[in-house]
Amino acid sequence: MKFVRQFPALDRRALLSSLAMLPLLSASFRSTTAEAQTQRDPLASWNDGATKSSILNFVGRVTTQGGPDFVPVDQRIATFDNDGTLWIEQPMYIQLAFALDRVKTMAPMHPEWKTRQPFAAVLDGDMKALAAAGEKGLVEIIAVTHAGMTTAEFEKITSDWIATARDHRFKRPYTELAYQPMLELLAYLRANGFKTFIVSGGGIEFMRPWTERIYGIPPEQVVGSSIKTRFEMKDGAPTLFRLQEVNFVDDKTGKPIGINEHIGRRPIAAFGNSDGDLEMLQWTTLGAAGARFGLLVHHTDAEREYAYDRHSHFGKLDVALDAAAVNRWTVVDMKKDWKRIFAFD
Amino acid sequence: MKFVRQFPALDRRALLSSLAMLPLLSASFRSTTAEAQTQRDPLASWNDGATKSSILNFVGRVTTQGGPDFVPVDQRIATFDNDGTLWIEQPMYIQLAFALDRVKTMAPMHPEWKTRQPFAAVLDGDMKALAAAGEKGLVEIIAVTHAGMTTAEFEKITSDWIATARDHRFKRPYTELAYQPMLELLAYLRANGFKTFIVSGGGIEFMRPWTERIYGIPPEQVVGSSIKTRFEMKDGAPTLFRLQEVNFVDDKTGKPIGINEHIGRRPIAAFGNSDGDLEMLQWTTLGAAGARFGLLVHHTDAEREYAYDRHSHFGKLDVALDAAAVNRWTVVDMKKDWKRIFAFD
């Protein structure tokens, strides 16, 4: 009772009676908070139904202390694909839109591009010629737009672009095209002690400048594809120079490999939307004891967003859709399960 | 004032007077806590002096809200080398001791090793012949002891070994040979909002099974060297199989590269002990604005631990020691600055 000695002028009795009341007050505050939380649905943009219930049930089970499926906080790892899972990937991956814009920005310094493929196709907006250039053409575009500068320079380039570029259909910055129900899901999982990671086929350095602001996911919890870098001291300052050499492709079987390398624990929940996420969902849900959760976002809403699956060029969902039925992964029917798609809806 | 309505039976006046007293009480509790913290030195195993002061000053500056050197919590990243910085690395890296032990354990299944180098040297305890086998021999030993099994199998092998193996000189499990002053430093930084990472030339999967228990550093905050893995579905269960192929060497220029790949932010403090840490300290302290801290542990205590630097086979400290003077990195004189080396001292 040191504090009583420190405040001899205080009425001891009043002080003690205040102390006696503290537990009541705090219980009262607690119940008010709990009430507020119940009133505010953490997944407000999800329609009631089997999909939403499967999420709530899973989180309820792994967070119930003493329950058969309880998972300690440090093991509550959840991994999310990005393109098509957290934000849009049609009519093309946003990173590809960045690369094409970047070719246009760089063109004045490369007059030879006017007649050289695949660059001429990009500059002429000739998507057919670009498609004809195939993967080889794409790799060339990625190489000139993503390499040949320091990591600090690339961070500035991507940050500037993401702040100004607009999606053609929605006339919005791409960062506003994150799915509101998924943002709620990320926040809901974190409120329940989960550590949320991005595990994307997209470029790790393309995502990191904005994932914390948009998704609440800090750079160190972003796993993605990468190119090699070289360390150099330049005028006394250390730099990392981005090389035209692939380091890691974080897609398909690369996802569990990337998860193991970066996180070093097996997730207990994984969220994706395409065949590129199949192995991540397998790694997460199969062959390990305890409660596990796999979810695929199925794009079924051409009106509010896009509808595509087995035959799509970007975000093809075919084998993984069949696997979902076998493995009892939750499949989100966007049209039916999501009250709204974007925050501005 | 919802809680008042919820407890109509309570004397409103008594309640309000309790509330009025809350700030006083809480101020009183706070001052008691602050007092307790001052009494308990967070770096109790560090002797007073310039080294200890440099740490306390740095942490004080970056955590002083409104001060010129304040750093927001999410940017308080600190990276630590492992071998020779957090635990011993003499008379050889502990992971090498593991590999040699593992050769002996595996030998009954490999009768040909009795006459084949470098394995015969290991089995005969002939360190001279082992040294003669050079780096090629070492790579061969690492390959057979670290690859050719799943990640889950390797985790079990390393966990079992670390639980039972003993250092020859100190007759203790290796995990007891962590430096007590550095454990205090890790805890002190975390108590001040830092996120602590290991960035080691050692194997990432060799460290992860025990870093959380010993250092309070979870698997996802461990960066290290790695070999490639292959994803396979085996009888319906997903596995990662460890291949005899180097993926990444997290040493020297590899350290800033590994930091950038795994953490994606530049640390504001870095701790090492050898030339392998030079580029990590450069990357952390040079060419970026704001308060930065670099520290090297100099092994100067042959009596309580080991004394070595410029000519050591393991943990050579030569170029980085010269760089420390130029760049004003703190150099720990183990003998002088550390009250005790190990928890059991």
Side-chain angles (χ1 to χ4, degrees):
Chain A
M1 300 289 279
K2 193 163 193 176
F3 49 89
V4 176
R5 269 182 276 124
Q6 283 183 326
F7 293 98
L10 280 181
D11 175 353
R12 280 178 80 106
R13 214 165 42 132
L15 192 60
L16 290 172
S17 91
S18 321
L19 280 177
M21 237 170 260
L22 276 178
L24 280 177
L25 282 175
S26 109
S28 156
F29 280 122
R30 262 207 305 280
S31 87
T32 314
T33 313
E35 215 174 274
Q37 274 172 351
T38 317
Q39 281 162 3
R40 209 194 120 272
D41 180 352
L43 299 180
S45 299
W46 294 71
N47 286 315
D48 290 335
T51 301
K52 184 173 181 173
S53 295
S54 74
I55 297 169
L56 296 170
N57 285 344
F58 169 74
V59 173
R61 284 192 294 137
V62 299
T63 57
T64 299
Q65 198 121 21
D69 292 326
F70 178 74
V71 176
V73 165
D74 67 337
Q75 287 162 40
R76 292 184 204 154
I77 304 285
T79 54
F80 288 79
D81 170 57
N82 184 38
D83 299 309
T85 299
L86 294 179
W87 75 352
I88 64 164
E89 63 181 351
Q90 300 289 355
M92 68 176 88
Y93 294 132
I94 296 172
Q95 190 170 357
L96 180 55
F98 160 74
L100 300 187
D101 275 4
R102 187 79 196 137
V103 165
K104 290 171 200 159
T105 306
M106 294 169 77
M109 307 217 310
H110 297 271
E112 75 280 11
W113 284 359
K114 275 183 198 151
T115 53
R116 215 188 108 202
Q117 294 300 8
F119 304 103
V122 177
L123 299 177
D124 299 340
D126 183 350
M127 288 299 122
K128 215 168 143 185
L130 182 61
E135 199 182 313
K136 194 178 155 290
L138 205 62
V139 167
E140 216 175 329
I141 288 169
I142 296 292
V144 302
T145 56
H146 285 66
M149 74 286 278
T150 67
T151 51
E153 286 161 354
F154 187 68
E155 184 179 340
K156 182 164 168 26
I157 290 167
T158 52
S159 299
D160 288 352
W161 183 82
I162 206 89
T164 53
R166 294 283 182 282
D167 175 82
H168 291 293
R169 174 173 163 192
F170 295 100
K171 321 275 182 222
R172 300 254 177 185
Y174 290 107
T175 44
E176 289 183 21
L177 301 178
Y179 305 129
Q180 177 61 23
M182 296 304 284
L183 296 179
E184 292 168 8
L185 178 54
L186 282 168
Y188 172 62
L189 288 173
R190 287 193 293 260
N192 280 281
F194 280 78
K195 206 164 183 175
T196 53
F197 289 81
I198 288 175
V199 178
S200 166
I204 193 166
E205 306 249 28
F206 177 74
M207 297 182 281
R208 278 173 165 163
W210 48 269
T211 54
E212 184 146 37
R213 185 166 48 88
I214 306 302
Y215 302 138
I217 296 179
E220 63 268 29
Q221 284 162 228
V222 177
V223 184
S225 297
S226 58
I227 58 178
K228 287 197 187 294
T229 59
R230 184 179 59 223
F231 178 85
E232 288 174 341
M233 288 300 288
K234 231 175 152 180
D235 306 323
T239 60
L240 289 172
F241 190 79
R242 292 170 59 82
L243 305 171
Q244 290 192 0
E245 192 185 339
V246 170
N247 178 54
F248 181 62
V249 178
D250 190 46
D251 198 29
K252 301 184 189 287
T253 60
K255 290 208 174 191
I257 291 169
I259 287 170
N260 185 60
E261 176 77 10
H262 279 255
I263 309 177
R265 300 195 215 245
R266 199 183 287 236
I268 65 165
F271 303 82
N273 79 297
S274 79
D275 285 358
D277 302 311
L278 174 66
E279 288 84 355
M280 173 169 75
L281 268 73
Q282 290 175 326
W283 178 243
T284 301
T285 64
L286 306 177
R292 293 289 185 277
F293 191 76
L295 179 147
L296 289 170
V297 175
H298 189 187
H299 293 259
T300 53
D301 195 331
E303 212 168 296
R304 294 187 298 173
E305 200 237 10
Y306 296 94
Y308 59 97
D309 45 40
R310 296 187 193 270
H311 304 292
S312 177
H313 199 69
F314 299 100
K316 179 177 171 180
L317 176 62
D318 184 25
V319 183
L321 194 56
D322 297 334
V326 176
N327 298 309
R328 296 204 263 172
W329 297 332
T330 292
V331 177
V332 172
D333 180 339
M334 229 164 157
K335 191 171 184 171
K336 200 179 109 229
D337 290 324
W338 286 0
K339 219 170 270 176
R340 53 180 186 164
I341 310 275
F342 305 113
F344 57 79
D345 275 345
Chain B
M1 301 288 280
K2 194 164 190 174
F3 50 88
V4 176
R5 270 184 274 125
Q6 282 183 329
F7 293 99
L10 280 181
D11 176 355
R12 280 176 80 107
R13 215 165 44 130
L15 192 58
L16 290 172
S17 90
S18 320
L19 281 177
M21 236 169 258
L22 276 177
L24 282 177
L25 281 175
S26 108
S28 154
F29 279 124
R30 262 206 304 278
S31 88
T32 314
T33 313
E35 214 173 275
Q37 273 172 352
T38 318
Q39 281 162 5
R40 210 194 121 271
D41 180 352
L43 299 180
S45 299
W46 294 71
N47 286 315
D48 290 335
T51 301
K52 184 173 180 173
S53 295
S54 74
I55 298 170
L56 295 170
N57 285 344
F58 169 74
V59 173
R61 284 193 293 137
V62 299
T63 57
T64 299
Q65 198 123 20
D69 292 327
F70 179 73
V71 176
V73 165
D74 66 338
Q75 287 162 40
R76 292 184 204 154
I77 304 285
T79 54
F80 288 80
D81 170 57
N82 184 38
D83 298 309
T85 299
L86 295 179
W87 76 352
I88 64 165
E89 63 181 352
Q90 300 289 355
M92 69 176 87
Y93 294 134
I94 296 173
Q95 190 170 359
L96 180 55
F98 160 75
L100 300 186
D101 275 3
R102 186 79 196 138
V103 165
K104 290 172 201 157
T105 306
M106 292 169 78
M109 306 218 308
H110 297 271
E112 75 279 11
W113 285 357
K114 275 181 198 151
T115 53
R116 217 188 105 201
Q117 294 300 7
F119 304 103
V122 177
L123 298 177
D124 299 341
D126 183 349
M127 288 299 121
K128 215 169 144 186
L130 183 60
E135 199 182 314
K136 194 179 155 287
L138 207 60
V139 166
E140 216 176 330
I141 288 169
I142 296 292
V144 302
T145 55
H146 285 65
M149 73 287 278
T150 68
T151 52
E153 285 161 354
F154 187 67
E155 184 180 340
K156 182 163 168 26
I157 290 167
T158 51
S159 299
D160 288 351
W161 183 82
I162 206 88
T164 54
R166 293 283 181 285
D167 175 82
H168 291 293
R169 173 173 163 191
F170 295 98
K171 321 276 181 219
R172 300 254 177 185
Y174 291 106
T175 44
E176 289 183 20
L177 301 178
Y179 304 130
Q180 178 61 23
M182 296 304 284
L183 296 179
E184 291 168 10
L185 178 54
L186 282 168
Y188 172 62
L189 289 173
R190 286 193 293 261
N192 281 282
F194 280 78
K195 206 164 181 174
T196 53
F197 288 81
I198 288 174
V199 177
S200 167
I204 193 166
E205 305 250 29
F206 177 74
M207 296 182 282
R208 279 173 165 163
W210 49 269
T211 54
E212 185 147 35
R213 184 166 50 88
I214 305 303
Y215 302 138
I217 297 180
E220 62 268 29
Q221 285 162 227
V222 177
V223 184
S225 298
S226 59
I227 56 177
K228 286 198 187 294
T229 58
R230 184 179 61 222
F231 178 84
E232 289 174 339
M233 290 298 290
K234 230 174 151 181
D235 307 323
T239 59
L240 288 172
F241 190 80
R242 292 170 60 82
L243 304 171
Q244 291 192 359
E245 191 184 342
V246 170
N247 178 55
F248 181 62
V249 178
D250 190 46
D251 198 28
K252 301 184 188 286
T253 61
K255 291 207 174 190
I257 292 169
I259 287 170
N260 185 60
E261 176 78 9
H262 279 255
I263 308 177
R265 301 195 215 244
R266 201 183 285 236
I268 64 165
F271 304 82
N273 79 297
S274 79
D275 284 358
D277 302 311
L278 174 65
E279 289 85 355
M280 173 169 75
L281 266 73
Q282 290 175 325
W283 179 243
T284 301
T285 64
L286 306 178
R292 293 290 185 276
F293 191 77
L295 180 147
L296 288 170
V297 175
H298 189 187
H299 293 260
T300 52
D301 195 332
E303 211 169 296
R304 294 186 298 172
E305 200 238 11
Y306 296 94
Y308 58 98
D309 45 42
R310 295 186 193 272
H311 303 292
S312 178
H313 199 70
F314 298 99
K316 179 177 171 180
L317 175 63
D318 184 26
V319 184
L321 194 56
D322 297 334
V326 177
N327 298 307
R328 295 204 264 171
W329 297 331
T330 292
V331 177
V332 172
D333 180 337
M334 229 165 159
K335 191 171 184 172
K336 199 180 109 225
D337 290 323
W338 286 0
K339 219 169 270 177
R340 52 179 186 165
I341 310 274
F342 305 112
F344 56 80
D345 275 347

